[in-house]
């Protein structure tokens, strides 16, 4: 199947293969998709999600394995060689789990050349170069989980794992897993699996191999798994959130089939934590967080805090180790659908059914900015941890951030957040009176310390700074489901499971940074770039976002 961007234009006329930013053009490098014939009638029940998995080189066995007779072990290795024969470039790459935590990973991800063996050959293979490492995309569509080589331009995945009884709905990868089980998969039925990604790549079949099964047949909770995450630095601990407002804590070192029961939740609106009575039980704890679905969870990079957003429209932030609700706040309208931490743990992004992107401060426990630019629900948010601050003095003090958002309006938006300019707007001065807050906003929201564990109502939009996007680009035909930033690119995935890799601007490419540009696509869509009189600083020139007051 052709992998060039021109083939995409033939399928989706009117969509441009680039978008402009103050630092230059992001260009569509290539795409990933799935064989359409593998999708069954169940397609659409689970929105596609995307995970990047970096496999480090597998340590050599000690002592070295004894040579085997021809055919005894060559079948698996030659099959792996056939699957992994695509060429990868050597570059510093990143791993981003499904929980939105970014980790920089550098090293060689090269698996180059072709493999001169035939599958099933009984003789030793002549030129296999599968070295047990690489960078892979994991995504779901319908009742199938797909694995694709990130650095190969082949559109089709190298591995398809079919689920006969339920759809995969979420997944997460741990690059630091010790015992090989590094990939988690949650299903629509509530079932959870942990497997070795490397082992899946080495097996030619369409079923999971080497599985550890948790919550089998929904024995503990039969509601849909909405999101799943490894606990950073958690030594094999992971959490699974469900559509009924419960989050379960598992230990992958314990038997997944051990029965465990928890007391009935007496008040669906209150946060409660229950622990398993037996030390052998798995899951080891249940957190009842909210009434209704938990739509997204995200750990801070150091694993100390857990953020959740749900159907009730609230962001909740917990001290994970203390199992304590710290703070939270409500959306302006409807459910919150996604959340993500800044790399330094100071800010949290949320997006949802109010079509807005919101920025929350962990220092103030408050909403400090909101962004308007999407025309439909915001389905994914992420900070760009690889974006460097211009004129950085090397102190590590971040006063400017770049983040992105995607929505069901098919748009990818990029935003610049300058914290030095994020201030509470000027307040109204009634005639002959003292300064007051704008109408409709309780003064306690800004002027007093928020008690720990308080879930705050949405403040008046007049009293919170408004952001506008730096770039608005229609990236896909179908509604978007998520985005991931890597060192070299931005990845977007639509609801139907099609992935695009947008390569970052080439160093010094600032030809488009000296003017305001509004580009109209052939389908009438607008790619918007808002800049000031330009002062180019290599590829890192950014301009502060406009701070506007709502009408």
């Amino acid at each position: 199947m052709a992998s060039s961007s021109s083939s995409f234009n033939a399928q989706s006329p009117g969509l441009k293969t680039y978008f402009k930013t103050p630092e230059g053009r992001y260009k569509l490098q290539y795409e990933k998709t799935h064989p359409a014939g593998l999708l069954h009638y169940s397609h659409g029940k689970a929105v596609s999600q995307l995970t990047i998995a970096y496999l480090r080189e597998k340590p050599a066995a000690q002592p070295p394995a004894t040579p085997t007779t021809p055919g005894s072990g060559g079948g698996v290795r030659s099959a792996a060689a056939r699957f992994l024969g695509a060429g990868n470039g050597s570059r510093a790459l990143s791993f981003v789990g499904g929980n939105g935590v970014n980790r920089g990973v550098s090293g060689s991800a090269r698996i180059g050349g072709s493999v001169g063996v035939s599958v099933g050959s009984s003789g030793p293979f002549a030129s296999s170069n599968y070295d047990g490492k690489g960078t892979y995309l994991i995504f779901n569509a319908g009742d199938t989980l797909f694995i694709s080589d990130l650095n190969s331009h082949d559109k089709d995945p190298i591995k398809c794992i079919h689920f006969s009884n339920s759809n995969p709905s979420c997944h997460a990868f741990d690059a630091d897993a010790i015992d090989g089980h590094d990939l988690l998969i949650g299903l629509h039925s509530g079932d959870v699996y942990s497997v070795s990604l490397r082992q899946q790549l080495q097996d030619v079949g369409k079923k999971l191999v080497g599985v550890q099964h948790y919550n089998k047949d929904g024995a503990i909770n039969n509601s849909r798994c909405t999101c799943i995450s490894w606990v950073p630095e958690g030594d094999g601990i992971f959490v699974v959130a469900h559509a009924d407002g419960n989050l379960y804590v598992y230990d992958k070192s314990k038997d997944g089939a051990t029965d465990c029961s928890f007391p009935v939740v007496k008040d669906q609106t209150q946060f409660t934590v229950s622990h398993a009575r037996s030390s052998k039980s798995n899951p080891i704890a249940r957190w009842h967080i909210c009434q209704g679905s938990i739509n997204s969870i995200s750990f801070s990079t150091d694993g100390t805090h857990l953020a959740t957003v749900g159907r009730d429209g609230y962001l909740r932030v917990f001290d994970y180790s203390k199992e304590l609700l710290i703070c939270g706040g409500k959306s302006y309208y409807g459910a919150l659908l996604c959340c993500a931490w800044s790399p330094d743990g100071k800010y949290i992004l949320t997006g949802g059914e109010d079509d807005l992107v919101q920025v929350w401060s962990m220092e103030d426990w408050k909403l400090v900015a909101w962004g308007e630019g999407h025309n439909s629900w915001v389905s994914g948010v992420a900070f760009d941890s690889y974006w460097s601050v211009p004129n950085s003095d090397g102190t590590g003090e971040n006063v400017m951030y770049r983040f992105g958002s995607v929505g069901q309006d098919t748009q990818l938006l990029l935003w610049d957040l300058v914290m030095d300019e994020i201030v509470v707007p000027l307040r109204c001065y009634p005639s002959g009176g003292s300064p007051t807050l704008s109408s409709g906003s309780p003064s306690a929201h800004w002027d007093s310390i928020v008690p720990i564990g308080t879930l705050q109502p949405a403040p008046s939009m007049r009293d919170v700074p408004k952001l506008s996007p730096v770039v608005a680009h229609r990236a896909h035909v179908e509604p978007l489901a998520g985005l991931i930033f890597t060192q070299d690119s931005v990845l977007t995935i639509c609801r139907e499971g099609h992935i695009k890799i947008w390569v970052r601007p080439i160093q010094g490419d600032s030809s488009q940074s000296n003017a305001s540009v509004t580009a109209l696509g052939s389908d009438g869509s607008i790619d918007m770039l808002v800049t000031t009189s330009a002062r180019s600083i290599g590829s890192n020139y950014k301009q502060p976002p406009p701070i506007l007051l709502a009408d």
Side-chain angles (χ1 to χ4, degrees), residues 72-90:
S72 62
V76 172
R77 294 189 65 191
S78 62
R82 178 172 66 87
F83 279 125
L84 301 171
N88 289 352
S90 178

Side-chain angles (χ1 to χ4, degrees), residues 393-410:
D393 58 4
T395 62
E397 292 294 328
N398 271 335
V399 296
M400 186 185 296
Y401 301 80
R402 165 67 60 83
F403 65 88
S405 62
V406 294
Q408 295 193 16
D409 58 359
T410 72

